[in-house]
Amino acid sequence: MSEPKAPTPAPGDTYKGWLFKWTNYIKGYQRRWFVLSNGLLSYYRTQAEMGHTCRGTINLATANIAVEDSCNFVISNGGTQTYHLKASSEVERQRWITALELAKAKAFRMQAESDDSGDDSTPPAAGQGAGSRNSEVQSTLRTLGSKVEDLSTCNDLIAKHGSALQRSLSELEGVRLGGETSEKIRQVTERATLFRITSNAMINACRDFLALAQAHSKRWQKALQAEREQRVRLEETLEQLAKQHNHLERAFRGATVLPPSQSNPAIDSKGPVPGKGDVSDEDEENEFFDACEDVQEFITVPADPKYHRRSGSNVSGISSELGMDDGTTSLDEQSLASNPDSPQSQEVVPVRKRRSRIPDKPNYSLNLWSIMKNCIGKELSKIPMPVNFNEPLSMLQRLSEDLEYYELLDRGAKCQSSLEQMCYVAAFTVSSYSTTVHRTGKPFNPLLGETFELDRVQESGYRSLCEQVSHHPPAAAHHAISERGWTLRQEIALASKFRGKYLSIMPLGSIHCIFEKSNNHYTWKKVTTTVHNIIVGKLWIDQSGEIDVVNHRTGDRCHLKFAPYSYFSRDVARKVTGVVTDKDGKAHYVLSGTWDEKMECSRVMQSSRGGENGADGRQKTVYQTLKAKELWRKTPLPEGAENMYYFSTLALTLNEPEEGVAPTDSRRRPDQRLMEQGRWEEANAEKQRLEEKQRITRREREREANRAANPAEEGKEPADGAEEVEIASEPSETTYKTETLHGSHPPAYSMEGPYGAPVKSGHHDNYKSMWFEQQVDPMTGEPTHIYRGGYWEAKEQGNWDSCPDIF
């Protein structure tokens, strides 16, 4: 059965599409974007990489193209480059083979023509300007050709005179001393002179050729770069116009403007990107993609030009249309304009010079699987890990890194509109993950009662305090307050599981942000962090899940979605999308970006239902938006960060020794300090000592609590056959469950044996944190630890008598 004949591309056309390329035996075939242009076949991981990152290129002029089966074919240049490729169907494979053969034939002809220096034929010009440029090129080629001929002539003369000189020297060796000697020496001298003259001529001709070639090469390189840039601009413009035209056509077909109460979309999408059926710069039949990709459930298109032409007197009218009854201007006109992400807004005059480097990470090898294979299914906090897998920071310090981009909250405190403020809070939520993209090291588990202060009042206007308030499950409380009108507090407990190939870390607990001026109270939770390639390959981290940022005073809401990374996705990696809505569900802003680079927002002018159906059969919501404005961009890592655990500028200063901090501060932890200094063997020994000391302290605390609860049994020995069950901080046969983590009363913990059998514990821990007090949060109804005060006063007085000795 004959296969259908596909349209054959012209040999000079650029041909693009998706193919599957063999990578290795672990990953197999991976989907890549291939571009065939000017006799070169290049490939990229995504279409977005075309402007900056090419993964590989092969010249078809010398390549061999072989078909293996109905879908597979191989391209090799006979050297180190061999591409094993697979199309999704036999028809697509044949179209690629046809395009490659045509491009190879044309590339071979062009190479043969370029090798013929005497060819004076001129290709047809498109106009007078093109004709003059071709004439100039041909003239230059003729000049270079004549120089090459001169070089060839000089080469022949050098060979001729060199041979004569060699013969004379050979004859001179066989001559007897006498009358013939002077004659032979004279001949050798003459031939040596001819050889020198010819060599000088050769050198001069080479110098002339090189100077001429370099001069014209620079001109041609500049002209070629200008042509490439112009072509890229034209392609981008054409692609943008095609996308806008496609979106508008879809929105026009059956588009109906909904009332505000019905315009809230189901935010279960990948973000405001072109739909699955969208095309960029080629026909639909030339588009290659997987049929299993998810389809986004809302579309963003440029707003009608009438919204852009509104004068300043109409701004308040726009705000009122969007539900901003306070009459202030919107984020696009006021907040972002008055608070640009400029060096002026980020520059801070430091009171003290903080360090910008730490000792480089030593290169110690250790087999992770030999440790982890016995820990599958256990919580991360119960796995005894050597410091080789750590980074020299504690979890309390990592929690304080959430304030890396505190400027977003400073700007949010200045906003008059709660919807604009929500955009900044949402950007701050995303920015806290930007420091994790390369941080594969595990932070130190804090000891119970360990604290960490981050006092940046004089530099940045805020101060922060963290304390480890629980050990099982591990939980840390954090409180930060700024002189610029905001307070941030959170209690985070980690639930983590090791599944063999990957490690999942699920933060539990809510984060609160309160702005003093407006009394707006925001809450949200963190997404799941996954560490991949635990056994084989390079470790990499991904963030996935959804976040709902809620303003409890106004009812505004921002739904953020962190798309999990996929090799088969056409979207950019680490993508984050979201929509800001008011209490009635009306959309006001669309957020998009990546959690490791930047976040942008676009103001919604109109929303409607139309176009394709979503993944669940519902129609997508089409948002007409203004031009996107940048909310946040990640600050580049300091120089040499790859040798310093990929720490950011803030992270490098967190473990810097400071005078006056509490004796329980993480900076005073000895095993962490030894690891930072590169003394890892001593750090491992110190880590074991601290853990054993913590176990002894906890046992004593449990005995005291048990005696207080049962005074009549004080001094009695356990009955015969009875056993004390010890709640160990290290791995044991006992696992723990949180019975009521989000209830209206403090958590209660039960224990199970290896096979689920209940185990009774006669011990109770009456530990109370030093600086935080457990309360029921009035907003969420969750039990949480709230800062009770007294720490900064104790620091001013230098009175730390009440602090325990945990180190």
Side-chain angles (χ1 to χ4, degrees), residues 522-554:
Y522 298 86
T523 62
W524 66 91
K525 296 179 182 293
K526 289 181 174 288
V527 295
T528 299
T529 300
T530 306
V531 184
H532 294 270
N533 291 346
I534 294 293
I535 302 177
V536 179
K538 183 179 180 181
L539 293 177
W540 61 278
I541 292 178
D542 193 23
Q543 312 287 347
S544 60
E546 299 180 3
I547 294 178
D548 279 309
V549 185
V550 180
N551 185 341
H552 293 272
R553 188 183 72 85
T554 63

PDB file of all heavy atoms in Angstrom, residues 522-554:
ATOM      1  N   TYR A 522      -3.056  37.965  54.436  1.00  0.00           N
ATOM      2  CA  TYR A 522      -2.931  36.951  53.387  1.00  0.00           C
ATOM      3  C   TYR A 522      -2.407  35.651  53.989  1.00  0.00           C
ATOM      4  O   TYR A 522      -1.553  35.669  54.883  1.00  0.00           O
ATOM      5  CB  TYR A 522      -1.954  37.407  52.293  1.00  0.00           C
ATOM      6  CG  TYR A 522      -2.378  38.659  51.562  1.00  0.00           C
ATOM      7  CD1 TYR A 522      -2.057  39.925  52.058  1.00  0.00           C
ATOM      8  CD2 TYR A 522      -3.095  38.582  50.380  1.00  0.00           C
ATOM      9  CE1 TYR A 522      -2.439  41.073  51.393  1.00  0.00           C
ATOM     10  CE2 TYR A 522      -3.483  39.722  49.696  1.00  0.00           C
ATOM     11  CZ  TYR A 522      -3.146  40.961  50.203  1.00  0.00           C
ATOM     12  OH  TYR A 522      -3.537  42.101  49.542  1.00  0.00           O
ATOM     13  N   THR A 523      -2.901  34.529  53.473  1.00  0.00           N
ATOM     14  CA  THR A 523      -2.397  33.216  53.874  1.00  0.00           C
ATOM     15  C   THR A 523      -2.203  32.357  52.626  1.00  0.00           C
ATOM     16  O   THR A 523      -2.911  32.517  51.629  1.00  0.00           O
ATOM     17  CB  THR A 523      -3.352  32.482  54.833  1.00  0.00           C
ATOM     18  OG1 THR A 523      -4.598  32.256  54.173  1.00  0.00           O
ATOM     19  CG2 THR A 523      -3.580  33.281  56.097  1.00  0.00           C
ATOM     20  N   TRP A 524      -1.242  31.439  52.704  1.00  0.00           N
ATOM     21  CA  TRP A 524      -1.024  30.458  51.632  1.00  0.00           C
ATOM     22  C   TRP A 524      -0.199  29.312  52.182  1.00  0.00           C
ATOM     23  O   TRP A 524       0.341  29.382  53.281  1.00  0.00           O
ATOM     24  CB  TRP A 524      -0.331  31.096  50.417  1.00  0.00           C
ATOM     25  CG  TRP A 524       1.074  31.571  50.662  1.00  0.00           C
ATOM     26  CD1 TRP A 524       2.227  30.874  50.485  1.00  0.00           C
ATOM     27  CD2 TRP A 524       1.480  32.876  51.140  1.00  0.00           C
ATOM     28  NE1 TRP A 524       3.321  31.641  50.809  1.00  0.00           N
ATOM     29  CE2 TRP A 524       2.890  32.877  51.201  1.00  0.00           C
ATOM     30  CE3 TRP A 524       0.785  34.043  51.487  1.00  0.00           C
ATOM     31  CZ2 TRP A 524       3.616  33.982  51.620  1.00  0.00           C
ATOM     32  CZ3 TRP A 524       1.509  35.143  51.900  1.00  0.00           C
ATOM     33  CH2 TRP A 524       2.900  35.120  51.965  1.00  0.00           C
ATOM     34  N   LYS A 525      -0.099  28.249  51.426  1.00  0.00           N
ATOM     35  CA  LYS A 525       0.706  27.084  51.778  1.00  0.00           C
ATOM     36  C   LYS A 525       1.752  26.851  50.699  1.00  0.00           C
ATOM     37  O   LYS A 525       1.633  27.356  49.581  1.00  0.00           O
ATOM     38  CB  LYS A 525      -0.174  25.834  51.935  1.00  0.00           C
ATOM     39  CG  LYS A 525      -1.182  25.933  53.081  1.00  0.00           C
ATOM     40  CD  LYS A 525      -2.031  24.670  53.152  1.00  0.00           C
ATOM     41  CE  LYS A 525      -3.079  24.756  54.263  1.00  0.00           C
ATOM     42  NZ  LYS A 525      -2.458  24.760  55.591  1.00  0.00           N
ATOM     43  N   LYS A 526       2.763  26.066  51.024  1.00  0.00           N
ATOM     44  CA  LYS A 526       3.843  25.777  50.090  1.00  0.00           C
ATOM     45  C   LYS A 526       3.509  24.559  49.236  1.00  0.00           C
ATOM     46  O   LYS A 526       2.667  23.732  49.608  1.00  0.00           O
ATOM     47  CB  LYS A 526       5.158  25.543  50.836  1.00  0.00           C
ATOM     48  CG  LYS A 526       5.764  26.801  51.462  1.00  0.00           C
ATOM     49  CD  LYS A 526       7.072  26.488  52.144  1.00  0.00           C
ATOM     50  CE  LYS A 526       7.770  27.746  52.642  1.00  0.00           C
ATOM     51  NZ  LYS A 526       8.331  28.538  51.533  1.00  0.00           N
ATOM     52  N   VAL A 527       4.194  24.456  48.082  1.00  0.00           N
ATOM     53  CA  VAL A 527       3.996  23.328  47.181  1.00  0.00           C
ATOM     54  C   VAL A 527       5.001  22.225  47.504  1.00  0.00           C
ATOM     55  O   VAL A 527       5.893  22.389  48.339  1.00  0.00           O
ATOM     56  CB  VAL A 527       4.155  23.766  45.702  1.00  0.00           C
ATOM     57  CG1 VAL A 527       3.065  24.744  45.315  1.00  0.00           C
ATOM     58  CG2 VAL A 527       5.536  24.366  45.463  1.00  0.00           C
ATOM     59  N   THR A 528       4.867  21.106  46.817  1.00  0.00           N
ATOM     60  CA  THR A 528       5.735  19.951  47.044  1.00  0.00           C
ATOM     61  C   THR A 528       7.063  20.120  46.312  1.00  0.00           C
ATOM     62  O   THR A 528       7.091  20.501  45.140  1.00  0.00           O
ATOM     63  CB  THR A 528       5.042  18.667  46.561  1.00  0.00           C
ATOM     64  OG1 THR A 528       3.828  18.486  47.300  1.00  0.00           O
ATOM     65  CG2 THR A 528       5.943  17.455  46.754  1.00  0.00           C
ATOM     66  N   THR A 529       8.143  19.822  47.004  1.00  0.00           N
ATOM     67  CA  THR A 529       9.483  19.829  46.414  1.00  0.00           C
ATOM     68  C   THR A 529       9.922  18.394  46.171  1.00  0.00           C
ATOM     69  O   THR A 529       9.810  17.554  47.066  1.00  0.00           O
ATOM     70  CB  THR A 529      10.490  20.535  47.339  1.00  0.00           C
ATOM     71  OG1 THR A 529      10.072  21.881  47.552  1.00  0.00           O
ATOM     72  CG2 THR A 529      11.882  20.522  46.739  1.00  0.00           C
ATOM     73  N   THR A 530      10.405  18.113  44.959  1.00  0.00           N
ATOM     74  CA  THR A 530      10.823  16.755  44.591  1.00  0.00           C
ATOM     75  C   THR A 530      12.277  16.775  44.134  1.00  0.00           C
ATOM     76  O   THR A 530      12.647  17.586  43.283  1.00  0.00           O
ATOM     77  CB  THR A 530       9.942  16.196  43.470  1.00  0.00           C
ATOM     78  OG1 THR A 530       8.563  16.296  43.852  1.00  0.00           O
ATOM     79  CG2 THR A 530      10.283  14.740  43.193  1.00  0.00           C
ATOM     80  N   VAL A 531      13.077  15.890  44.707  1.00  0.00           N
ATOM     81  CA  VAL A 531      14.479  15.717  44.303  1.00  0.00           C
ATOM     82  C   VAL A 531      14.571  14.451  43.472  1.00  0.00           C
ATOM     83  O   VAL A 531      14.293  13.359  43.963  1.00  0.00           O
ATOM     84  CB  VAL A 531      15.412  15.640  45.531  1.00  0.00           C
ATOM     85  CG1 VAL A 531      16.857  15.564  45.086  1.00  0.00           C
ATOM     86  CG2 VAL A 531      15.193  16.831  46.446  1.00  0.00           C
ATOM     87  N   HIS A 532      14.954  14.592  42.201  1.00  0.00           N
ATOM     88  CA  HIS A 532      14.983  13.474  41.261  1.00  0.00           C
ATOM     89  C   HIS A 532      16.391  12.907  41.125  1.00  0.00           C
ATOM     90  O   HIS A 532      17.371  13.525  41.499  1.00  0.00           O
ATOM     91  CB  HIS A 532      14.491  13.938  39.890  1.00  0.00           C
ATOM     92  CG  HIS A 532      13.046  14.338  39.875  1.00  0.00           C
ATOM     93  ND1 HIS A 532      12.025  13.458  39.613  1.00  0.00           N
ATOM     94  CD2 HIS A 532      12.448  15.535  40.108  1.00  0.00           C
ATOM     95  CE1 HIS A 532      10.865  14.086  39.673  1.00  0.00           C
ATOM     96  NE2 HIS A 532      11.098  15.345  39.968  1.00  0.00           N
ATOM     97  N   ASN A 533      16.441  11.708  40.533  1.00  0.00           N
ATOM     98  CA  ASN A 533      17.699  11.011  40.218  1.00  0.00           C
ATOM     99  C   ASN A 533      18.516  10.726  41.475  1.00  0.00           C
ATOM    100  O   ASN A 533      19.722  10.977  41.517  1.00  0.00           O
ATOM    101  CB  ASN A 533      18.539  11.808  39.220  1.00  0.00           C
ATOM    102  CG  ASN A 533      17.908  11.854  37.843  1.00  0.00           C
ATOM    103  OD1 ASN A 533      16.991  11.098  37.559  1.00  0.00           O
ATOM    104  ND2 ASN A 533      18.390  12.741  37.000  1.00  0.00           N
ATOM    105  N   ILE A 534      17.856  10.190  42.478  1.00  0.00           N
ATOM    106  CA  ILE A 534      18.561   9.851  43.711  1.00  0.00           C
ATOM    107  C   ILE A 534      19.570   8.733  43.466  1.00  0.00           C
ATOM    108  O   ILE A 534      20.682   8.747  43.999  1.00  0.00           O
ATOM    109  CB  ILE A 534      17.565   9.435  44.808  1.00  0.00           C
ATOM    110  CG1 ILE A 534      16.686  10.632  45.201  1.00  0.00           C
ATOM    111  CG2 ILE A 534      18.285   8.883  46.029  1.00  0.00           C
ATOM    112  CD1 ILE A 534      17.436  11.734  45.886  1.00  0.00           C
ATOM    113  N   ILE A 535      19.214   7.759  42.610  1.00  0.00           N
ATOM    114  CA  ILE A 535      20.071   6.594  42.408  1.00  0.00           C
ATOM    115  C   ILE A 535      21.043   6.823  41.265  1.00  0.00           C
ATOM    116  O   ILE A 535      22.249   6.676  41.405  1.00  0.00           O
ATOM    117  CB  ILE A 535      19.211   5.343  42.133  1.00  0.00           C
ATOM    118  CG1 ILE A 535      18.253   5.096  43.299  1.00  0.00           C
ATOM    119  CG2 ILE A 535      20.090   4.129  41.890  1.00  0.00           C
ATOM    120  CD1 ILE A 535      17.324   3.943  43.090  1.00  0.00           C
ATOM    121  N   VAL A 536      20.516   7.185  40.082  1.00  0.00           N
ATOM    122  CA  VAL A 536      21.330   7.309  38.876  1.00  0.00           C
ATOM    123  C   VAL A 536      21.124   8.694  38.285  1.00  0.00           C
ATOM    124  O   VAL A 536      20.001   9.194  38.236  1.00  0.00           O
ATOM    125  CB  VAL A 536      20.942   6.234  37.835  1.00  0.00           C
ATOM    126  CG1 VAL A 536      21.775   6.401  36.569  1.00  0.00           C
ATOM    127  CG2 VAL A 536      21.144   4.842  38.416  1.00  0.00           C
ATOM    128  N   GLY A 537      22.190   9.316  37.832  1.00  0.00           N
ATOM    129  CA  GLY A 537      22.092  10.600  37.155  1.00  0.00           C
ATOM    130  C   GLY A 537      22.377  11.768  38.082  1.00  0.00           C
ATOM    131  O   GLY A 537      22.662  11.612  39.276  1.00  0.00           O
ATOM    132  N   LYS A 538      22.277  12.939  37.508  1.00  0.00           N
ATOM    133  CA  LYS A 538      22.535  14.158  38.255  1.00  0.00           C
ATOM    134  C   LYS A 538      21.293  14.593  39.015  1.00  0.00           C
ATOM    135  O   LYS A 538      20.196  14.619  38.471  1.00  0.00           O
ATOM    136  CB  LYS A 538      22.964  15.273  37.287  1.00  0.00           C
ATOM    137  CG  LYS A 538      23.327  16.567  37.979  1.00  0.00           C
ATOM    138  CD  LYS A 538      23.756  17.614  36.960  1.00  0.00           C
ATOM    139  CE  LYS A 538      24.114  18.929  37.654  1.00  0.00           C
ATOM    140  NZ  LYS A 538      24.512  19.966  36.672  1.00  0.00           N
ATOM    141  N   LEU A 539      21.467  14.925  40.286  1.00  0.00           N
ATOM    142  CA  LEU A 539      20.343  15.372  41.100  1.00  0.00           C
ATOM    143  C   LEU A 539      19.766  16.670  40.537  1.00  0.00           C
ATOM    144  O   LEU A 539      20.501  17.567  40.133  1.00  0.00           O
ATOM    145  CB  LEU A 539      20.787  15.598  42.544  1.00  0.00           C
ATOM    146  CG  LEU A 539      21.202  14.360  43.351  1.00  0.00           C
ATOM    147  CD1 LEU A 539      21.690  14.786  44.723  1.00  0.00           C
ATOM    148  CD2 LEU A 539      20.057  13.386  43.494  1.00  0.00           C
ATOM    149  N   TRP A 540      18.447  16.756  40.501  1.00  0.00           N
ATOM    150  CA  TRP A 540      17.798  18.009  40.125  1.00  0.00           C
ATOM    151  C   TRP A 540      16.486  18.137  40.878  1.00  0.00           C
ATOM    152  O   TRP A 540      15.882  17.149  41.297  1.00  0.00           O
ATOM    153  CB  TRP A 540      17.579  18.104  38.608  1.00  0.00           C
ATOM    154  CG  TRP A 540      16.707  17.033  38.014  1.00  0.00           C
ATOM    155  CD1 TRP A 540      17.087  15.783  37.670  1.00  0.00           C
ATOM    156  CD2 TRP A 540      15.317  17.139  37.686  1.00  0.00           C
ATOM    157  NE1 TRP A 540      16.033  15.089  37.137  1.00  0.00           N
ATOM    158  CE2 TRP A 540      14.937  15.897  37.125  1.00  0.00           C
ATOM    159  CE3 TRP A 540      14.365  18.152  37.785  1.00  0.00           C
ATOM    160  CZ2 TRP A 540      13.633  15.635  36.702  1.00  0.00           C
ATOM    161  CZ3 TRP A 540      13.064  17.902  37.356  1.00  0.00           C
ATOM    162  CH2 TRP A 540      12.713  16.658  36.814  1.00  0.00           C
ATOM    163  N   ILE A 541      16.073  19.381  41.076  1.00  0.00           N
ATOM    164  CA  ILE A 541      14.942  19.694  41.952  1.00  0.00           C
ATOM    165  C   ILE A 541      13.815  20.290  41.130  1.00  0.00           C
ATOM    166  O   ILE A 541      14.034  21.075  40.209  1.00  0.00           O
ATOM    167  CB  ILE A 541      15.376  20.667  43.066  1.00  0.00           C
ATOM    168  CG1 ILE A 541      16.338  19.967  44.029  1.00  0.00           C
ATOM    169  CG2 ILE A 541      14.188  21.212  43.832  1.00  0.00           C
ATOM    170  CD1 ILE A 541      16.853  20.850  45.132  1.00  0.00           C
ATOM    171  N   ASP A 542      12.592  19.908  41.482  1.00  0.00           N
ATOM    172  CA  ASP A 542      11.410  20.450  40.816  1.00  0.00           C
ATOM    173  C   ASP A 542      10.385  20.826  41.880  1.00  0.00           C
ATOM    174  O   ASP A 542      10.339  20.226  42.958  1.00  0.00           O
ATOM    175  CB  ASP A 542      10.817  19.424  39.851  1.00  0.00           C
ATOM    176  CG  ASP A 542       9.792  20.035  38.915  1.00  0.00           C
ATOM    177  OD1 ASP A 542       9.859  21.269  38.709  1.00  0.00           O
ATOM    178  OD2 ASP A 542       8.936  19.307  38.383  1.00  0.00           O
ATOM    179  N   GLN A 543       9.604  21.850  41.563  1.00  0.00           N
ATOM    180  CA  GLN A 543       8.504  22.290  42.430  1.00  0.00           C
ATOM    181  C   GLN A 543       7.207  22.063  41.660  1.00  0.00           C
ATOM    182  O   GLN A 543       7.094  22.454  40.499  1.00  0.00           O
ATOM    183  CB  GLN A 543       8.638  23.775  42.792  1.00  0.00           C
ATOM    184  CG  GLN A 543      10.018  24.197  43.262  1.00  0.00           C
ATOM    185  CD  GLN A 543      10.361  23.708  44.641  1.00  0.00           C
ATOM    186  OE1 GLN A 543       9.482  23.233  45.370  1.00  0.00           O
ATOM    187  NE2 GLN A 543      11.624  23.807  45.032  1.00  0.00           N
ATOM    188  N   SER A 544       6.233  21.465  42.303  1.00  0.00           N
ATOM    189  CA  SER A 544       4.969  21.193  41.624  1.00  0.00           C
ATOM    190  C   SER A 544       3.822  21.277  42.614  1.00  0.00           C
ATOM    191  O   SER A 544       3.993  21.031  43.810  1.00  0.00           O
ATOM    192  CB  SER A 544       4.999  19.806  40.970  1.00  0.00           C
ATOM    193  OG  SER A 544       5.207  18.804  41.951  1.00  0.00           O
ATOM    194  N   GLY A 545       2.657  21.633  42.088  1.00  0.00           N
ATOM    195  CA  GLY A 545       1.473  21.751  42.931  1.00  0.00           C
ATOM    196  C   GLY A 545       0.762  23.065  42.697  1.00  0.00           C
ATOM    197  O   GLY A 545       1.034  23.798  41.733  1.00  0.00           O
ATOM    198  N   GLU A 546      -0.167  23.377  43.579  1.00  0.00           N
ATOM    199  CA  GLU A 546      -0.971  24.584  43.461  1.00  0.00           C
ATOM    200  C   GLU A 546      -0.971  25.349  44.774  1.00  0.00           C
ATOM    201  O   GLU A 546      -0.892  24.759  45.852  1.00  0.00           O
ATOM    202  CB  GLU A 546      -2.403  24.236  43.042  1.00  0.00           C
ATOM    203  CG  GLU A 546      -2.484  23.544  41.686  1.00  0.00           C
ATOM    204  CD  GLU A 546      -3.906  23.201  41.291  1.00  0.00           C
ATOM    205  OE1 GLU A 546      -4.826  23.551  42.065  1.00  0.00           O
ATOM    206  OE2 GLU A 546      -4.109  22.594  40.227  1.00  0.00           O
ATOM    207  N   ILE A 547      -1.066  26.657  44.657  1.00  0.00           N
ATOM    208  CA  ILE A 547      -1.098  27.546  45.821  1.00  0.00           C
ATOM    209  C   ILE A 547      -2.301  28.479  45.685  1.00  0.00           C
ATOM    210  O   ILE A 547      -2.519  29.051  44.610  1.00  0.00           O
ATOM    211  CB  ILE A 547       0.196  28.376  45.935  1.00  0.00           C
ATOM    212  CG1 ILE A 547       1.398  27.480  46.226  1.00  0.00           C
ATOM    213  CG2 ILE A 547       0.070  29.445  47.023  1.00  0.00           C
ATOM    214  CD1 ILE A 547       2.714  28.234  46.310  1.00  0.00           C
ATOM    215  N   ASP A 548      -3.042  28.617  46.749  1.00  0.00           N
ATOM    216  CA  ASP A 548      -4.119  29.605  46.810  1.00  0.00           C
ATOM    217  C   ASP A 548      -3.722  30.680  47.816  1.00  0.00           C
ATOM    218  O   ASP A 548      -3.643  30.408  49.022  1.00  0.00           O
ATOM    219  CB  ASP A 548      -5.441  28.955  47.234  1.00  0.00           C
ATOM    220  CG  ASP A 548      -6.140  28.265  46.078  1.00  0.00           C
ATOM    221  OD1 ASP A 548      -6.309  28.915  45.031  1.00  0.00           O
ATOM    222  OD2 ASP A 548      -6.491  27.081  46.209  1.00  0.00           O
ATOM    223  N   VAL A 549      -3.448  31.876  47.320  1.00  0.00           N
ATOM    224  CA  VAL A 549      -3.164  33.022  48.185  1.00  0.00           C
ATOM    225  C   VAL A 549      -4.487  33.736  48.428  1.00  0.00           C
ATOM    226  O   VAL A 549      -5.137  34.197  47.477  1.00  0.00           O
ATOM    227  CB  VAL A 549      -2.139  33.968  47.536  1.00  0.00           C
ATOM    228  CG1 VAL A 549      -1.768  35.078  48.504  1.00  0.00           C
ATOM    229  CG2 VAL A 549      -0.895  33.207  47.102  1.00  0.00           C
ATOM    230  N   VAL A 550      -4.884  33.844  49.696  1.00  0.00           N
ATOM    231  CA  VAL A 550      -6.206  34.367  50.036  1.00  0.00           C
ATOM    232  C   VAL A 550      -6.048  35.612  50.897  1.00  0.00           C
ATOM    233  O   VAL A 550      -5.273  35.620  51.859  1.00  0.00           O
ATOM    234  CB  VAL A 550      -7.047  33.305  50.784  1.00  0.00           C
ATOM    235  CG1 VAL A 550      -8.429  33.858  51.127  1.00  0.00           C
ATOM    236  CG2 VAL A 550      -7.174  32.035  49.953  1.00  0.00           C
ATOM    237  N   ASN A 551      -6.770  36.671  50.542  1.00  0.00           N
ATOM    238  CA  ASN A 551      -6.875  37.869  51.370  1.00  0.00           C
ATOM    239  C   ASN A 551      -8.142  37.739  52.207  1.00  0.00           C
ATOM    240  O   ASN A 551      -9.262  37.852  51.696  1.00  0.00           O
ATOM    241  CB  ASN A 551      -6.934  39.113  50.485  1.00  0.00           C
ATOM    242  CG  ASN A 551      -6.918  40.402  51.294  1.00  0.00           C
ATOM    243  OD1 ASN A 551      -7.202  40.408  52.493  1.00  0.00           O
ATOM    244  ND2 ASN A 551      -6.589  41.506  50.639  1.00  0.00           N
ATOM    245  N   HIS A 552      -7.975  37.490  53.505  1.00  0.00           N
ATOM    246  CA  HIS A 552      -9.123  37.207  54.356  1.00  0.00           C
ATOM    247  C   HIS A 552      -9.970  38.447  54.621  1.00  0.00           C
ATOM    248  O   HIS A 552     -11.138  38.301  55.025  1.00  0.00           O
ATOM    249  CB  HIS A 552      -8.640  36.598  55.682  1.00  0.00           C
ATOM    250  CG  HIS A 552      -8.036  35.238  55.521  1.00  0.00           C
ATOM    251  ND1 HIS A 552      -8.769  34.071  55.554  1.00  0.00           N
ATOM    252  CD2 HIS A 552      -6.753  34.846  55.288  1.00  0.00           C
ATOM    253  CE1 HIS A 552      -7.981  33.032  55.386  1.00  0.00           C
ATOM    254  NE2 HIS A 552      -6.740  33.470  55.215  1.00  0.00           N
ATOM    255  N   ARG A 553      -9.447  39.627  54.407  1.00  0.00           N
ATOM    256  CA  ARG A 553     -10.246  40.834  54.653  1.00  0.00           C
ATOM    257  C   ARG A 553     -11.166  41.151  53.476  1.00  0.00           C
ATOM    258  O   ARG A 553     -12.327  41.510  53.671  1.00  0.00           O
ATOM    259  CB  ARG A 553      -9.326  42.038  54.922  1.00  0.00           C
ATOM    260  CG  ARG A 553     -10.098  43.289  55.369  1.00  0.00           C
ATOM    261  CD  ARG A 553      -9.161  44.475  55.551  1.00  0.00           C
ATOM    262  NE  ARG A 553      -8.680  44.977  54.270  1.00  0.00           N
ATOM    263  CZ  ARG A 553      -9.352  45.853  53.509  1.00  0.00           C
ATOM    264  NH1 ARG A 553     -10.527  46.319  53.895  1.00  0.00           N
ATOM    265  NH2 ARG A 553      -8.835  46.260  52.366  1.00  0.00           N
ATOM    266  N   THR A 554     -10.655  41.012  52.256  1.00  0.00           N
ATOM    267  CA  THR A 554     -11.438  41.410  51.078  1.00  0.00           C
ATOM    268  C   THR A 554     -12.022  40.225  50.315  1.00  0.00           C
ATOM    269  O   THR A 554     -12.921  40.420  49.495  1.00  0.00           O
ATOM    270  CB  THR A 554     -10.559  42.208  50.117  1.00  0.00           C
ATOM    271  OG1 THR A 554      -9.484  41.386  49.651  1.00  0.00           O
ATOM    272  CG2 THR A 554      -9.977  43.426  50.811  1.00  0.00           C
TER     273      THR A 554
END
